[in-house]
Amino acid sequence: MPDVLIKGADYTVENIAGAKEVLANGGEVKTISLVDGYSSTAIINKIKAQNEVKAER
């Protein structure tokens, strides 16, 4: 169970999966501002693409 659960500000605490459980165990649930041009999905896709290139070698 995490001590802190963080999601982008496009979520509300009430809509974050696992928020109730984290809060019930004394943890914190936070939302942070989104930054244009940065996306965790884009970062993951970049890593996957790099791994695919390495696997082809």
Side-chain angles (χ1 to χ4, degrees):
M1 184 73 54
D3 293 323
V4 180
L5 177 58
I6 302 171
K7 293 292 282 182
D10 52 336
Y11 286 85
T12 61
V13 173
E14 296 79 21
N15 292 326
I16 297 174
K20 290 179 185 177
E21 293 79 5
V22 170
L23 293 169
N25 283 290
E28 297 178 70
V29 178
K30 303 283 184 181
T31 58
I32 58 173
S33 300
L34 300 176
V35 178
D36 286 337
Y38 290 90
S39 155
S40 57
T41 301
I43 293 168
I44 292 167
N45 289 338
K46 184 177 179 179
I47 293 168
K48 286 180 177 179
Q50 289 174 344
N51 287 334
E52 288 173 4
V53 169
K54 288 179 184 177
E56 291 174 359
R57 294 182 184 171

